[in-house]
Amino acid sequence: MHVKRPAEEIAANRARYEEHQRKGLEFAPKALPGFSALAEPAVDDENIVHREIIPGGWYWATRLGAAELIRISLTHGHSSLAMIAWNADDRSERINLPDTVKVQWTTELSKGRVIFSDMGRIMFSITEDTSGAHDCLVGGSNASSNARYQESNLRDTRDNFVKLAMKAGLDRRDIPAALTFFAPVRVDAEGKFFWNAGLLNGPDYVELRAEMDMIVGFSNCPHPLDPNPLYAPNPVTVTRLAARPAAADDLCRTATVEAVRGFENNLAASL
């Protein structure tokens, strides 16, 4: 049954939309920086909260505090690492890649971009990145995509995330679409996905800043489009770093009007 909304509510919603539109038209987006330099900078031991080396085929989850950093490093050779995340205080809020792409008008997530939740808030800021070779379109592997290896009982990201979610008190329906790092997926002129290995630089790394308290899960399995005929994911190093407050003019927080609005939503939820 159609419910007619009060005129006052319609007017308030329109005014809010028009204000957002005005801000968007007046806001000049900042130019994003180039990729971070290689080699990966060293980290002082006193700033390391935890370091985990995720073996090929395995998964790992951690609780990440707001303003903490997490660095993902290809220190043992190439692998593609899939990531999902939930708000630690309200697990109905989770990473949302469709909104992340739609709001920022790009599928190329790299330094200076942010990652949104399904409630319009910012979960991560990408503070360092050496390649931009990350996939937010295809998703992780499953039993069907592993069938090409002609082997049985191979681990896949779908099953890894099911196990990870259940250990966190969640189930299959709580698993969001995964962002896969170091998976250089692009779209050709005909709209088909392809693997552009030229985007990778070898010992790449990406660093993310948490913008809320989260539970973050990782799966280290071959991406469905990885052309390697062998199931041979290398270990991936994930390092949690102590919280580092963002500067007032932090690029991720000020680069686009959409990011500004997302951080306003973060602030409003904390009041």
Side-chain angles (χ1 to χ4, degrees), residues 264 266-271:
E264 288 174 351
N266 282 38
L267 179 60
S270 67
L271 298 178

Side-chain angles (χ1 to χ4, degrees), residues 107-271:
T107 61
E108 297 185 11
L109 302 182
S110 188
K111 186 175 180 179
R113 295 293 183 186
V114 294
I115 301 171
F116 281 82
S117 78
D118 56 4
M119 295 186 182
R121 303 202 298 150
I122 309 299
M123 299 192 85
F124 295 98
S125 294
I126 305 176
T127 56
E128 300 290 346
D129 176 43
T130 58
S131 71
H134 315 303
D135 169 42
C136 56
L137 297 173
V138 175
S141 62
N142 54 35
S144 294
S145 66
N146 275 357
R148 63 192 172 113
Y149 294 112
Q150 306 292 317
E151 299 178 51
S152 59
N153 300 319
L154 295 174
R155 290 177 175 269
D156 65 79
T157 287
R158 174 63 181 173
D159 288 345
N160 278 351
F161 282 157
V162 169
K163 295 181 180 75
L164 186 152
M166 289 182 174
K167 289 181 179 180
L170 302 164
D171 61 28
R172 293 173 186 266
R173 66 182 179 181
D174 298 308
I175 300 172
L179 171 61
T180 309
F181 298 104
F182 316 117
V185 174
R186 292 296 182 262
V187 182
D188 66 18
E190 297 180 353
K192 297 178 181 178
F193 298 125
F194 71 100
W195 185 270
N196 186 357
L199 298 177
L200 297 168
N201 303 303
D204 283 310
Y205 78 97
V206 62
E207 197 167 275
L208 310 173
R209 183 179 62 230
E211 303 297 354
M212 62 176 71
D213 293 342
M214 287 181 284
I215 296 171
V216 186
F218 300 96
S219 172
N220 182 11
C221 293
H223 188 276
L225 296 185
D226 189 334
N228 188 346
L230 302 177
Y231 184 98
N234 290 301
V236 176
T237 302
V238 180
T239 307
R240 272 181 65 193
L241 301 170
R244 187 190 310 161
D249 60 348
D250 180 81
L251 177 65
C252 294
R253 297 188 173 209
T254 59
T256 66
V257 68
E258 293 83 9
V260 170
R261 190 176 304 141
F263 280 106
E264 288 174 351
N265 292 340
N266 282 38
L267 179 60
S270 67
L271 298 178

Side-chain angles (χ1 to χ4, degrees), residues 48-63:
I48 297 176
V49 177
H50 178 79
R51 176 169 281 157
E52 188 78 14
I53 298 177
I54 306 175
W58 287 82
Y59 64 92
W60 178 64
T62 187
R63 188 181 180 102

